[in-house]
């Protein structure tokens, strides 16, 4: 079967029969098919077995899912390809190694660098959790040890050593009989979509697709023609507002808080959101829409990621890449201070007119918690959310209107302004996803990486256009 038909017919002209393969590939998902986290898709074609991403399930009740047996034998996998470095796409990689995988791990150089920072941070958290569990067991007089960790430090080092950097657009050999090509997906530093060509045809995996309008990354590159397509659907039932509106709303709350002598607290994730916030502050200062205030970045991992953004400009918007090439730092507001050590919260306790950027994005941990204790009680201050707050997190509790919360074990009254600025999204919205799958000419579309409503929204659009949809279920084989 040709991998790229010379004439692309409308999908309506040849709907795929419900069970026949149009691509020669079979999918076994080990996560990221019926929800947004834990992405891990095994694609098999003849004897070739390629795992795309090996992500962690994230959320309050996902511990068991992350320890569940793989629905395939890790030893039998020929190679892993990573679409990008988010924890929900790379977090189970060390466990895959511990369970017997011994192949190469292909990704862009930037993604390998991001994944290393993300995996080392996660391993540190795993070690802390384990030490805490051991102390708790000892206090309770329980004999024995806490549950065995899913992997050891040497598994992490071994799998990191198997990283193989692949440039965008260059066809590479994934394993015998299978070739891969990566294209720019926007989203976060280094992110790629992946086309896999096997003896029977092509399967295209979108990875996570970026927002065409975001400040840092250009829109995702158009897809190549494909037989089958796995496409993310995080926001397939939503429409984003324009970046101009988002930046204006962000500037308004920052400006009004600084104007009344307050501090602005911005919880951010280390990858992408920290850099987007720093860049937006700088741009708004340059346009004199906000004063050039003291900006304190109290986020060690955010700072490490920002260094990677400076080192790998290839996936950034050309205006930002050009500034970096000139030695002009697009992530540096005029009065930026990078906090060293863990004492910034105490030092800023009585400060006025400061913008504090710190993790974690949903207040599930990180240094922002220490700042909250000192600043939430003052009505001049503002806590500004620039990302979605998941149910069950402290961030969500505050967004939902709590006036009193527990932070680091202490009761804290909230008198500060609480604002949510929507539109800082790293994901494509409904119309962008619709345009992307149509451009691929895919004969079979598998909506993945989305809640049920979002996956159904995209499936509805595909069916209305006469295309064929198949749904992946965790661990069940699906012919593509
Ligand atoms: Zn992602």
């Amino acid at each position: 079967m040709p991998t790229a038909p010379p004439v692309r017919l409308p999908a309506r002209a040849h709907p795929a029969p419900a069970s026949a393969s149009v691509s020669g590939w079979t999918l076994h998902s080990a996560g990221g098919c019926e929800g947004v986290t834990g992405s891990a898709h095994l694609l098999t074609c003849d004897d070739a077995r390629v795992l795309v991403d090996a992500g962690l399930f994230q959320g309050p009740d996902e511990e068991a899912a992350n320890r569940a047996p793989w629905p395939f034998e890790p030893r039998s996998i020929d190679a892993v390809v990573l679409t990008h470095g988010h924890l929900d796409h790379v977090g189970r990689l060390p466990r895959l190694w511990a369970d017997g995988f011994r192949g190469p791990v292909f990704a862009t150089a930037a993604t390998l660098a991001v994944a290393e920072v993300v995996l080392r941070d996660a391993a540190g958290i795993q070690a802390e959790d384990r030490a805490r569990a051991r102390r708790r067991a000892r206090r309770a007089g329980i004999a024995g040890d806490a549950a065995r960790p899913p992997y050891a430090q040497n598994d992490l080092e071994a799998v990191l050593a198997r990283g193989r950097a692949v440039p965008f657009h260059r066809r590479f050999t994934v394993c015998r009989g299978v070739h891969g090509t990566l294209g720019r997906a926007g989203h976060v530093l280094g992110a790629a979509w992946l086309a896999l060509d096997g003896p029977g045809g092509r399967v295209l995996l979108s990875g996570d697709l970026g927002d065409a309008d975001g400040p840092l990354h250009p829109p995702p590159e158009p897809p190549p023609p494909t037989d089958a397509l796995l496409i993310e659907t995080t926001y397939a039932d939503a429409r984003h507002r324009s970046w101009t509106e988002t930046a204006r709303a962000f500037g308004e709350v920052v400006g009004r808080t600084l104007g009344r002598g307050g501090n602005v607290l911005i919880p951010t994730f280390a990858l992408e959101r920290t850099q987007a916030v720093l860049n937006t502050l700088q741009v708004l200062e340059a346009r004199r829409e906000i004063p050039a205030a003291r900006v304190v970045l109290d986020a060690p991992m955010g700072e490490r990621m920002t260094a990677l953004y400076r080192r790998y400009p290839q996936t950034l918007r050309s205006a930002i890449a050009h500034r970096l090439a000139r030695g002009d730092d697009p992530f540096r507001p005029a009065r930026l201070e990078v906090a060293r050590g863990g004492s910034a919260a105490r030092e800023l306790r009585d400060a006025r007119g400061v913008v504090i950027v710190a993790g974690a994005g949903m207040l599930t941990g990180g240094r922002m918690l220490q700042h909250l204790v000192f600043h939430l009680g003052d009505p001049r201050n503002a806590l500004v959310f620039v990302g979605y707050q998941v149910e069950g997190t402290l961030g969500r509790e505050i967004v939902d209107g709590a006036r009193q919360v527990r932070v680091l074990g202490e009761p804290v009254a909230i008198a500060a302004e609480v604002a949510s600025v929507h539109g800082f999204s790293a994901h494509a919205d409904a119309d962008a996803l619709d345009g992307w799958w149509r451009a691929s000419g895919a004969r079979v579309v598998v909506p993945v990486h989305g809640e049920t409503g979002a996956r159904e929204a995209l499936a509805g659009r595909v069916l209305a256009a006469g295309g064929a949809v198949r749904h992946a279920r965790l661990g069940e084989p699906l012919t593509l």
Side-chain angles (χ1 to χ4, degrees):
M1 193 176 294
T3 54
V7 178
R8 211 186 308 149
L9 299 171
R12 192 186 298 279
H14 45 183
S19 58
S21 176
V22 302
S23 68
W25 290 93
T26 299
L27 167 70
H28 284 80
S29 271
C33 55
E34 294 171 277
V36 291
T37 66
S39 279
H41 304 296
L42 181 73
L43 277 311
T44 60
C45 186
D46 289 353
D47 294 336
R49 295 165 73 76
V50 181
L51 182 66
V52 181
D53 294 338
L56 205 70
F57 289 98
Q58 291 174 293
D61 309 314
E62 305 288 16
E63 176 69 13
N66 286 319
R67 286 173 177 272
W70 301 96
F72 39 74
E73 175 51 60
R75 220 173 288 272
S76 71
I77 297 169
D78 295 305
V80 170
V81 186
L82 302 176
T83 60
H84 64 288
H86 268 147
L87 190 61
D88 66 319
H89 290 256
V90 305
R92 278 188 288 168
L93 208 47
R95 200 197 128 193
L96 193 74
W97 186 272
D99 293 347
F101 166 68
R102 291 295 179 267
V105 178
F106 297 104
T108 64
T111 288
L112 290 174
V114 168
E116 177 170 357
V117 173
V118 165
L119 287 170
R120 288 195 187 285
D121 179 70
I125 291 171
Q126 176 184 287
E128 278 169 29
D129 287 350
R130 193 166 148 70
R132 204 175 302 124
R134 230 185 271 127
R135 281 197 300 274
R136 215 180 296 130
R138 208 179 305 128
R139 273 200 303 273
I142 301 167
D145 205 351
R148 216 168 66 87
Y151 63 88
Q153 186 68 25
N154 55 0
D155 297 315
L156 169 62
E157 302 302 334
V159 82
L160 288 175
R162 298 312 303 268
R164 301 284 178 268
V166 181
F168 284 108
H169 309 140
R170 192 180 301 161
R171 204 170 129 94
F172 63 101
T173 302
V174 180
C175 58
R176 215 166 56 165
V178 175
H179 293 88
T181 310
L182 301 175
R184 289 184 173 84
H187 186 53
V188 297
L189 191 74
W193 47 251
L194 166 68
L196 281 178
D197 292 317
R202 174 176 286 174
V203 57
L204 176 67
L205 297 101
S206 71
D208 288 4
L209 295 172
D211 180 12
D213 203 24
L216 303 181
H217 302 275
E221 285 181 323
T226 188
D227 300 304
L229 168 67
L230 266 70
I231 184 168
E232 70 117 324
T233 55
T234 316
Y235 288 110
D237 54 355
R239 196 155 288 147
H240 296 333
R241 66 176 175 185
S242 74
W243 177 249
T244 313
E245 283 175 76
T246 300
R248 190 186 306 127
F250 180 72
E252 273 169 16
V253 64
V254 172
R256 113 177 134 242
T257 308
L258 294 173
R260 63 180 179 239
N263 299 320
V264 184
L265 290 85
I266 310 175
T268 57
F269 288 110
L271 178 60
E272 191 275 332
R273 206 54 46 92
T274 296
Q275 296 76 37
V277 163
L278 293 176
N279 177 255
T280 307
L281 287 168
Q282 191 203 45
V283 167
L284 294 174
E285 281 177 4
R287 288 197 218 135
R288 308 209 184 282
E289 292 180 27
I290 58 171
R294 216 177 142 194
V295 176
V296 177
L297 175 64
D298 189 18
M301 191 169 157
E303 174 57 12
R304 278 199 288 281
M305 288 299 182
T306 307
L308 294 183
Y309 266 75
R310 294 186 190 106
R311 195 152 94 213
Y312 295 98
Q314 298 86 348
T315 57
L316 302 180
R317 284 192 182 276
S318 55
I320 291 186
H322 286 148
R323 287 186 59 187
L324 282 164
R326 285 202 305 268
D328 173 15
D329 190 341
F331 308 114
R332 186 164 287 278
R335 295 174 59 203
L336 179 71
E337 297 167 26
V338 178
R340 306 281 172 213
S343 58
R346 278 196 306 282
E347 287 157 22
L348 292 172
R349 185 184 182 137
D350 301 313
R352 310 291 341 143
V354 182
V355 178
I356 300 166
V357 181
M362 297 186 197
L363 305 178
T364 49
R367 292 194 180 169
M368 183 53 91
L369 297 183
Q370 301 165 29
H371 294 282
L372 292 184
V373 172
F374 296 131
H375 301 290
L376 272 185
D378 188 331
R380 288 172 297 181
N381 298 338
L383 174 60
V384 182
F385 290 101
V386 290
Y388 181 72
Q389 303 299 306
V390 166
E391 197 86 51
T393 60
L394 175 60
R396 180 59 171 265
E397 200 184 333
I398 295 175
V399 166
D400 282 349
R403 302 310 297 167
Q404 172 99 26
V405 288
R406 284 193 86 77
V407 183
L408 298 171
E410 285 179 43
V412 178
I414 303 179
E417 176 181 355
V418 174
S420 293
V421 177
H422 303 288
F424 272 89
S425 178
H427 284 274
D429 70 1
D431 290 343
L433 290 170
D434 191 42
W436 208 80
W437 86 260
R438 283 168 189 270
S440 77
R443 300 162 67 196
V444 164
V445 176
V446 185
V448 295
H449 199 288
E451 300 300 343
T452 308
R455 279 180 285 117
E456 280 171 1
L458 185 95
R461 290 206 188 201
V462 174
L463 292 170
V469 173
R470 291 191 195 146
H471 291 284
R473 305 264 170 263
L474 200 63
E476 290 176 17
L478 181 71
T479 307
L480 301 179

